[in-house]
Amino acid sequence: QVQLVESGGGSVRAGASLTLSCAASGFTFGHYAIAWFRRGPGREREGVSCINDRDGTTVYGDSVKGRFTISRDSQRDMVYLQMNALKPDDTAVYTCAARYTLSPQADCLAGEYDAWGQGLQVTVFD
């Protein structure tokens, strides 16, 4: 059974950086897409970034391009989201998700994910 556990959230001042971690278990890296989603107060869920673990290709949502970086450590079954230049609009619950893929996906933010972490809060204040 796929399990995902996030860590690294918190409250920071605008302009600061945070790194979120997603610890994965129950599957073998190499055939999955792993993504970060977020839901801000009063907002719809938004795809932040995703990575194809087989080849490391990545996709970013428009609102985070150039500020966030997703990466993986296949040896440790970990996925990270480095968030720089944080803004108050980045305030949200961030959740890690995974899905099995036969091959790397050009737009791994599209479509449904079937395994989800519990989510964690990131708050950015002025």
Side-chain angles (χ1 to χ4, degrees), residues 62-113:
D62 288 342
S63 62
V64 305
K65 282 180 182 176
R67 299 188 298 123
F68 291 12
T69 303
I70 192 170
S71 62
R72 77 202 191 292
D73 183 340
S74 298
Q75 297 297 317
R76 294 189 171 92
D77 292 345
M78 296 288 295
V79 172
Y80 304 99
L81 185 69
Q82 173 69 41
M83 306 186 295
N84 298 328
L86 283 161
K87 307 173 182 179
D89 278 352
D90 294 317
T91 295
V93 173
Y94 286 72
T95 308
C96 179
R99 67 180 178 214
Y100 179 82
T101 64
L102 289 175
S103 59
Q105 299 174 329
D107 187 3
C108 48
L109 279 180
E112 296 298 318
Y113 278 74

